Structure formats: structure tokens, C-alpha cells
Amino acid sequence: MNTEHDAGYQYRERVVEPRPEKELRFRNGRIPGYFSIFLGGLSLAAVLAYLFPSYLTTTDLRAVYDAEALQEILKYGMWFSLFFGITTFILDRRKRLGAAGIGMTLIAFALGGYNVPVGPVEPKPLSLGVDWLILAFLGSTIVFTSLEKLFPKYREQVILRDQWGLDFFYFCLNHLLISAVLLFGNFLVTHFEWVASDSLQAIIQGMPLWLQVALLILVADFVLYWEHRVFHEVRRLWLFHAVHHSVETMDWLAGSRAHVVQIFIERGLVMLVLYLMGASKEALDIYVTFAALQAIIIHSNLNIPWGPLKYLLVTPQFHHWHHSSEKPAIDTNYSAHTVLFDRLFGSYHFPKEHWPARYGTTQKLPGSYLGQLLYPFRRKKSG
């Protein structure tokens, strides 16, 4: 059992060296350059989603947003992309980034821009969640990058840290695959409906909304705890989960790194259990929103004082210890939502005065997406 402090272990402070060459500043052209390519890329993706909504948008998400209203936001995004791109040429800095942003925006204009007609959409059973990707990345970047700059644990840590591009790729892939993950979850539900209890579902549906949400959080946390623990303790599964632990710098994007096999297993099983509970759609929507936000927060470079909540909920400091490669922290803090099950099952490690000095795996993984995708299979063959 891991206690709050391992006797004799010398905790050290993490040292983050300044990286002035990677800092985003206006005068070095990085801010306008990256803003241009950021807005240009999102604009082009949005226009393609408007042109091919049946194949590039998700049915459930389309019911939530107003496609015509979002075209107004798209309009400003496209013009600002051009403005920032031109600024890089005026500054004579980062012109390649500016040119790429301008190029993608001009292609978006040529394809119809923010004037693509919005009409009825024929739903497809399998589509890429481009709309989900755009909204999630835009919102997450604005909110969590701002929070990490306002309340950082490591102030010297740059936004575009090492392997940022790899984790951005994982972020995109995870959101594009949302329809496939939902299909897999629905497949499991249809094959295990016989397990459902009508009387239990009636009891849950009769509960107040807040109690349904609380029950969903606890049940999901129990399932995710044991899924997570099995991925650590079964070597063949650890080879997949090691991809997630290979992150060596924690920020809001770091949690996106996960092997596709783990994503389908982990999300499919928890979806199965929650749907079989029979909670209301409103309760499920609240839980999904809570879980998605918490998953980003606990990986982030945030040092917000959580007060008594840190003894109840999983917070960044608690989960950062799960990602530490230091001996006392290995195979600890499996919980996703609350610290309850780590306390109950002896895997709790939370030295409250300290944060990890090192992150990552004890054995280095490949640094590319393809290398990490194939890593579990190659390692299995080599023993």
C-alpha cells in the first residue's frame, strides 16, 4: 500500500528551464504566425464540414449548435487569419507560418467560405467528427491555455513544448474517431442488453437529477479505476497504456495521448455500464461534460488551490503523481473522478507538499505516432 509519504524517499523540485526560442511573442512573429495557421486550419476544416456534413459532422452534436450562427464566427476567423498572416510579412518573421495560414484561408474562401448553404443533413452511421474537433480545440485552446498562463504550476513551461505536435495529432485523431467509438459502444450495449434490470433502471430514473449524476460519477469511477489498474498490472495491456504515460511534460493537451486500442476498450466499457444503468439523457450529458472537462484539467499545468475538494476529487497534483516515473508514485492514483477507490484499494499516493520531479515511462518509447501505434505489438513479439 502506498501511503501519503514513502519513508526515506527524498522528494525534489522539478526544474523547468526557460525556452526563449520557443516562447510565443508578437515581435518574433510567433504569435501572428501561429494565430494565422491556427485560424486558417480551423477555417478550412469548418468549410469542408459545411460542404460535406453527412460525412464530416456528428448527428448528436449537430442537434446542439446553430450551424448558421457559427458561420458568423467562421467569417471573423477567416479574416483574422489573413490579417495575422499578412502581419508576419510586415514583421519579416515566421513568413512560412503566415503563408501557410493565408494559403489555407484562401482555399477555404475558394470552396465557398462562410457562405456555404446550410440545409438538411442526411445522417450517416459512420462519419468523422470534424465539427466536434473544431469546437473542442477552439474552446480548449482559449480556456485552458489562458488558465495555464494565469495559474501555472511551472511558469517557465512553454505552450509549444517538446512533442506538442504529436499530442495535437492525438487530440485530432481522438475527436475525429468519436463516431466510431460511439458505434462500438452501441454495439456492446445491443449485445449486453439482457444484463439490464428494468426495476433498477426505474429506481435510477426516479432519482433527482443531481443524485443520478452523482451515481454516474461513482459508478464510472469504479469501472475506470479497475480498467486503469488492469492496464497497469497486466503486461500485455500495459504496453498499450504505456503510450499514455510516455508524456514527459504535462499540460492540457497531454491527456490526449492514448493508444487507439485503449481508447476503444476504455470508453466502450464505461459507456456500456452507464447506458445499462438507465439514467436520464440529461444526467448522462452532465456526466459526459464533467468527465471531459476533468480529464483535461487533471493533466494540465495548473496550480489552482482546490481546498478541501482535493481530498474528494482527482485534481492536477493528484493525477500528476500518477504520471510520475519516480518510484513511490509508480502504479498509484488510478482513479479518474474521485480519490475514493484509491483510498479503498491501497493505491493512494499524495504527498501534498510536493509535485513530481519527473514524468514519463521508465523505458523510453518511440517519439512518433506510428512508432507508438506499433510499440505494443513489437514489444510483445520481442518478449
Side-chain angles (χ1 to χ4, degrees), residues 201-259:
Q201 290 186 350
I203 292 172
I204 292 174
Q205 290 166 9
M207 294 177 177
L209 179 63
W210 69 267
L211 188 54
Q212 289 189 51
V213 173
L215 186 62
L216 286 172
I217 290 172
L218 282 175
V219 171
D221 202 28
F222 180 80
V223 174
L224 289 168
Y225 174 90
W226 284 107
E227 280 186 351
H228 200 170
R229 188 159 183 165
V230 168
F231 266 104
H232 273 254
E233 296 183 359
V234 177
R235 173 166 169 74
R236 288 193 175 185
L237 292 178
W238 164 251
L239 296 177
F240 292 98
H241 187 54
V243 171
H244 180 64
H245 277 267
S246 65
V247 177
E248 296 180 354
T249 304
M250 300 292 284
D251 62 10
W252 71 268
L253 196 58
S256 301
R257 189 184 302 192
H259 197 282

Side-chain angles (χ1 to χ4, degrees), residues 57-111:
T57 64
T58 51
T59 305
D60 291 342
L61 190 58
R62 281 198 305 270
V64 176
Y65 61 78
D66 185 335
E68 292 183 353
L70 288 178
Q71 284 186 320
E72 283 297 305
I73 299 175
L74 173 60
K75 176 173 70 174
Y76 289 107
M78 294 175 72
W79 286 113
F80 272 111
S81 174
L82 294 179
F83 168 76
F84 285 119
I86 292 169
T87 302
T88 63
F89 285 84
I90 295 173
L91 294 173
D92 198 26
R93 300 284 183 90
R94 308 290 171 184
K95 290 186 286 187
R96 288 185 179 180
L97 291 176
I102 291 171
M104 287 188 288
T105 305
L106 292 178
I107 293 173
F109 271 115
L111 293 173

Side-chain angles (χ1 to χ4, degrees), residues 193-205 276-278:
E193 280 183 323
W194 57 273
V195 178
S197 167
D198 293 338
S199 57
L200 176 62
Q201 290 186 350
I203 292 172
I204 292 174
Q205 290 166 9
L276 291 179
M277 287 174 63

Side-chain angles (χ1 to χ4, degrees), residues 181-197 201 216 219-220 223-224 227 264-279 284 287:
V181 173
L182 289 173
L183 273 179
F184 179 66
N186 291 333
F187 169 82
L188 292 177
V189 170
T190 57
H191 282 75
F192 287 92
E193 280 183 323
W194 57 273
V195 178
S197 167
Q201 290 186 350
L216 286 172
V219 171
V223 174
L224 289 168
E227 280 186 351
F264 275 87
I265 293 174
E266 185 179 82
R267 296 183 187 177
L269 289 179
V270 78
M271 282 172 58
L272 170 64
V273 173
L274 296 187
Y275 278 115
L276 291 179
M277 287 174 63
L284 282 168
Y287 165 73

Side-chain angles (χ1 to χ4, degrees), residues 26-39:
F26 199 90
R27 64 175 179 267
N28 66 11
R30 281 185 172 270
I31 286 180
Y34 279 106
F35 272 27
S36 179
I37 201 168
F38 170 73
L39 293 173

Side-chain angles (χ1 to χ4, degrees), residues 119-139:
V121 180
E122 179 189 355
K124 299 289 183 183
L126 188 62
S127 60
L128 292 177
V130 173
D131 53 347
W132 175 229
L133 168 62
I134 294 168
L135 294 173
F137 188 65
L138 184 61

